Amino acid sequence: TLTAPAPFADETSCQCQAPHEKLTIAQARLGTPADRPVRVYADGIFDLFHAGHARALMQAKTLFPNSYLLVGVCSDDLTHKFKGFTVMNETERYEALRHCRYVDEVIRDAPWTLTPEFLEKHKIDFVAHDDIPYSSAGSDDVYKHIKEAGMFVPTQRTEGISTSDIITRIVRDYDVYARRNLQRGYTAKELNVSFINEKKYRFQNQVDKMKEKVKNVEEKSKEFVYKVEEKSHDLIQKWEEKSREFIGNFLELFGPDGAWKQMFQERSGRMLQAFSPRQSPNSSPTRGRSPSRSPSPPWVINKTSPPSSPKAASASLSSMSEGDEDEK
């Protein structure tokens, strides 16, 4: 498990103690003793360290079963002289390489062209680099003499990514990055932005903030409307359920076969029985008696036949009084 960054070559005390016998590629591929790893060297600028750099170093590390990868990084003076200005300074580029998992050792201020003295000093067995001729420093290919010596091992480039591509993206979207860094607190002087452009970028940032606020309000409004619609749907659904329940209860009570009709029929039957009681049976003793009416008492006045005149009324009263005297 890696617990520390790769050491620098000029600061490490861990030197290869085994005799530096020249190896062929075939011997290296078969594997070497544990105390004699194949020392592979890869160099470059490694500006804006990216996945393409890491993949190249991974290939260099895994070329042989037992290998020790040394990575040389050119200084700012050499790079600015032979290639051009870098985004990262040499210290930043050194540190980026030290924290790559495939790197065993970093060589600072590496030479632009490899010399026999440099190869012997670091006991380098093979040099790993992509096979494309690298023309620089007045040479058509700075690795030509390494290839002729049988010490060159090619690696594959990763298409679609390079330091130049990353810089091109930054230049293409310069306004976006300038505005973002102004918003983060960088000054126009630090960004090399003119006074007019600074005001323009700040105004655009304010416009973007207003757009973001409007967008947030619209999203919140949509969310509120959605919640209202959802709540309305729930209320309508509950109202429909209650309505169906109310109608069902009403029909159960007042429908054609409802409880109210049955109750009304029962009460009507009771009232009819109350108004027209059931007749006595034919065998009743009262049926055997004579239908002749019993004589009314003499004091009962026949209301259906009133006296025709006052005299008749007085005569009837006198007769009633005589009858009373006879009874006495």
Side-chain angles (χ1 to χ4, degrees), residues 215-232:
K215 183 179 179 181
N216 291 335
V217 171
E218 289 179 352
E219 290 178 354
K220 289 182 179 179
S221 300
K222 289 179 181 179
E223 184 179 358
F224 175 75
V225 171
Y226 175 76
K227 288 183 178 178
V228 170
E229 290 178 351
E230 186 178 6
K231 192 69 175 178
S232 301

Side-chain angles (χ1 to χ4, degrees), residues 274-293:
F275 286 123
S276 58
R278 193 178 295 174
Q279 295 181 357
S280 300
N282 294 333
S283 60
S284 175
T286 57
R287 292 288 183 181
R289 294 183 181 179
S290 174
S292 59
R293 300 176 61 185

Side-chain angles (χ1 to χ4, degrees), residues 49-101:
F49 189 80
H50 52 73
H53 294 142
R55 287 178 62 85
L57 297 176
M58 179 188 69
Q59 294 177 59
K61 175 67 175 177
T62 58
L63 285 170
F64 308 107
N66 182 22
S67 62
Y68 185 87
L69 181 60
L70 300 93
V71 179
V73 183
C74 299
S75 65
D76 286 345
D77 291 338
L78 279 177
T79 304
H80 297 167
K81 178 180 178 180
F82 293 109
K83 189 170 184 178
F85 191 72
T86 59
V87 177
M88 300 168 65
N89 60 43
E90 59 184 28
T91 303
E92 294 169 335
R93 293 186 285 115
Y94 297 153
E95 287 298 320
L97 265 298
R98 291 186 69 196
H99 292 83
C100 178
R101 62 184 300 180

Side-chain angles (χ1 to χ4, degrees), residues 103-117:
V103 178
D104 294 307
E105 189 175 309
V106 175
I107 301 175
R108 294 183 284 194
D109 193 14
W112 198 260
T113 303
L114 299 178
T115 62
E117 293 78 17

Side-chain angles (χ1 to χ4, degrees), residues 24-264:
T24 64
I25 293 179
Q27 290 173 332
R29 292 191 189 280
L30 290 174
T32 56
D35 61 344
R36 175 61 172 92
V38 179
R39 295 174 69 84
V40 180
Y41 176 80
D43 61 356
I45 309 302
F46 300 106
D47 191 21
L48 296 176
F49 189 80
H50 52 73
H53 294 142
R55 287 178 62 85
L57 297 176
M58 179 188 69
Q59 294 177 59
K61 175 67 175 177
T62 58
L63 285 170
F64 308 107
N66 182 22
S67 62
Y68 185 87
L69 181 60
L70 300 93
V71 179
V73 183
C74 299
S75 65
D76 286 345
D77 291 338
L78 279 177
T79 304
H80 297 167
K81 178 180 178 180
F82 293 109
K83 189 170 184 178
F85 191 72
T86 59
V87 177
M88 300 168 65
N89 60 43
E90 59 184 28
T91 303
E92 294 169 335
R93 293 186 285 115
Y94 297 153
E95 287 298 320
L97 265 298
R98 291 186 69 196
H99 292 83
C100 178
R101 62 184 300 180
Y102 309 112
V103 178
D104 294 307
E105 189 175 309
V106 175
I107 301 175
R108 294 183 284 194
D109 193 14
W112 198 260
T113 303
L114 299 178
T115 62
E117 293 78 17
F118 179 82
L119 297 174
E120 180 62 29
K121 176 183 177 181
H122 295 283
K123 300 181 179 179
I124 295 170
D125 293 311
F126 300 100
V127 177
H129 200 273
D130 61 80
D131 202 14
I132 300 173
Y134 193 82
S135 59
S136 180
S139 174
D140 294 336
D141 188 1
V142 295
Y143 298 104
K144 183 178 179 180
H145 64 290
I146 302 295
K147 294 176 182 177
E148 292 175 350
M151 298 176 62
F152 186 84
V153 184
T155 58
Q156 299 295 322
R157 291 178 63 89
T158 302
E159 298 296 332
I161 185 168
S162 67
T163 302
S164 299
D165 292 339
I166 296 174
I167 294 174
T168 301
R169 296 178 204 172
I170 297 172
V171 173
R172 181 188 62 197
D173 300 326
Y174 169 75
D175 289 351
V176 176
Y177 296 120
R179 287 170 54 189
R180 184 180 67 182
N181 288 323
L182 280 173
Q183 200 169 10
R184 289 179 174 178
Y186 287 89
T187 64
K189 184 177 180 180
E190 290 173 332
L191 298 172
N192 196 26
V193 173
S194 65
F195 176 81
I196 295 175
N197 284 336
E198 178 191 3
K199 299 303 178 185
K200 182 182 72 173
Y201 293 151
R202 294 192 183 280
F203 177 75
Q204 289 175 343
N205 287 336
Q206 294 297 325
V207 172
D208 289 344
K209 286 182 180 179
M210 291 299 297
K211 288 182 179 179
E212 188 68 22
K213 288 182 179 179
V214 172
K215 183 179 179 181
N216 291 335
V217 171
E218 289 179 352
E219 290 178 354
K220 289 182 179 179
S221 300
K222 289 179 181 179
E223 184 179 358
F224 175 75
V225 171
Y226 175 76
K227 288 183 178 178
V228 170
E229 290 178 351
E230 186 178 6
K231 192 69 175 178
S232 301
H233 178 73
D234 293 340
L235 290 174
I236 291 171
Q237 187 175 4
K238 290 181 180 178
W239 181 81
E240 289 177 350
E241 292 176 356
K242 292 293 183 182
S243 299
R244 285 194 293 268
E245 183 180 356
F246 175 78
I247 293 171
N249 293 336
F250 182 84
L251 293 176
E252 185 178 356
L253 186 62
F254 297 102
D257 299 325
W260 178 261
K261 182 178 179 180
Q262 295 178 1
M263 183 177 64
F264 180 76

